Amino acid sequence: MSKKRILAYVIVTAILAALVYVQFRTWKDFDWLTFWDQSKQISPRHILQAIALIYVSYFLRALRWKIFLQPVRKEVSTLELIPPTLVGFTGLALLGRPGELIRPYLIARRANLTFSSQMAAWAIERIFDVGGFTVLMVLAIFLPTELRFLPNPEIYPRLRVGGFLLVALVAGLALGAFLVAQFGEALAAWIEVRFSHLAANFGHRVAQRLREFHGGLDTIHSPLSFLQLSGVSILMWWLIALAYREVTHAYGPALEHMTVSKVLLLMGSSMLGSLIQLPGVGGGSQLATISALQHIFHASHELAASCGILLWLTTFVAVVPAGLLLAHRERLSLRKLSEESEQEEARAELSPSPPLV
């Protein structure tokens, strides 16, 4: 493990420890007996339905990547992309951010493409993820949904501001993608020359990322493919929202008021919290979800803690058994894959150009 990664883990651990300390200091009356009682009363049927929806969302992720590969590898099927998708997300769940590159690395190997080309597709995928979630969140905020009648009346005006910010973010990403598509190579060359004097080849590395992103935009090869990618992304996040709803409904009357529009707030909280995660343990996403349940929906401390942890296990960790089984069948080591993908990333940064095939 590199010194940089060790330092990152130390910083994240310290931040999470501080957050946990602050959180539980406010829970002086936390009742562990109530926590366990509520956890024991969870409906298994709702949890199984939630897990099934999450696995369907992984299928949609594989389908979306199939659309990315259409211009260069039409013969690769969606079913062929499911194993690297499940193994990749298992690596992310168990190893944290270092496991995030496993999926594009495995897909590059399976499709006989360069790693840099699949990193470019991965970058474009992030934009469609943000866009798909934003569409659902903005509809929930600005249409006449239950969000207008939250227990705390001060929250909805803030949500409207957040909705406008999300729209601005997606518009900015779209504008940036358009500019890179039009002037990407010229901009990369300018950055490479302008910052060439900085240490560690900073200018070259930034320019290389820009070239990768420019090449990744070629995966959107027609208006039809853009519509397909957008539709799959929105459907995928809708299914994830349904999975969140199933988990909350597993607690019966206490959380049966949670609708899709409401759980979108929990999803947004979880995404923000996931920026601070420890490998295999999470931390940030659970704390953020627990806080949202408590302060937005007025759930008790015990119920919020139980539901926040279960949401994380169901929507993020449930992939691990299938991913480990597939990795064992194909004789893959997650740690070795993580190291190899990082080495490929380092080689791509030093290469003169990011070939797409």
Side-chain angles (χ1 to χ4, degrees), residues 23 26-27 152 155 290-299:
Q23 184 75 51
T26 65
W27 291 5
N152 188 343
I155 292 177
I290 290 169
S291 180
L293 283 165
Q294 182 187 356
H295 295 105
I296 298 177
F297 301 107
H298 292 181

Side-chain angles (χ1 to χ4, degrees), residues 196-314:
S196 60
H197 63 285
L198 296 181
N201 295 318
F202 176 78
H204 177 73
R205 287 187 289 119
V206 173
Q208 198 70 1
R209 291 296 188 207
L210 195 60
R211 291 190 180 102
E212 286 179 0
F213 185 68
H214 175 70
L217 290 170
D218 292 337
T219 59
I220 311 173
H221 50 281
S222 69
L224 177 60
S225 68
F226 175 80
L227 291 176
Q228 290 173 333
L229 292 167
S230 300
V232 170
S233 299
I234 293 171
L235 177 59
M236 182 189 75
W237 284 105
W238 174 257
L239 292 180
I240 295 173
L242 292 179
Y244 266 70
R245 188 187 64 176
E246 288 297 324
V247 174
T248 57
H249 285 192
Y251 288 87
L255 289 175
E256 64 182 4
H257 62 87
M258 297 295 290
T259 60
V260 171
S261 59
K262 289 181 178 179
V263 298
L264 284 169
L265 292 181
L266 297 183
M267 292 168 61
S269 301
S270 178
M271 290 177 192
L272 290 175
S274 66
L275 298 175
I276 307 173
Q277 295 281 94
L278 283 175
V281 227
S285 61
Q286 299 98 304
L287 286 174
T289 306
I290 290 169
S291 180
L293 283 165
Q294 182 187 356
H295 295 105
I296 298 177
F297 301 107
H298 292 181
S300 67
H301 303 327
E302 298 81 10
L303 179 59
S306 177
C307 187
I309 293 171
L310 188 58
L311 279 168
W312 176 70
L313 291 173
T314 303

Side-chain angles (χ1 to χ4, degrees), residues 70-131:
Q70 196 69 20
V72 290
R73 290 291 186 272
K74 291 183 179 181
E75 69 277 8
V76 176
S77 69
T78 302
L79 292 179
E80 289 180 271
L81 296 175
I82 290 177
T85 299
L86 296 179
V87 172
F89 275 97
T90 297
L92 178 61
L94 296 180
L95 304 177
R97 296 305 173 196
E100 201 162 27
L101 303 182
I102 290 177
R103 184 162 53 113
Y105 177 69
L106 284 176
I107 292 174
R109 288 202 327 191
R110 181 154 300 201
N112 195 26
L113 295 167
T114 62
F115 178 65
S116 61
S117 71
Q118 299 315 290
M119 282 299 294
W122 178 82
I124 303 301
E125 184 191 52
R126 298 280 72 77
I127 294 180
F128 279 98
D129 276 338
V130 173

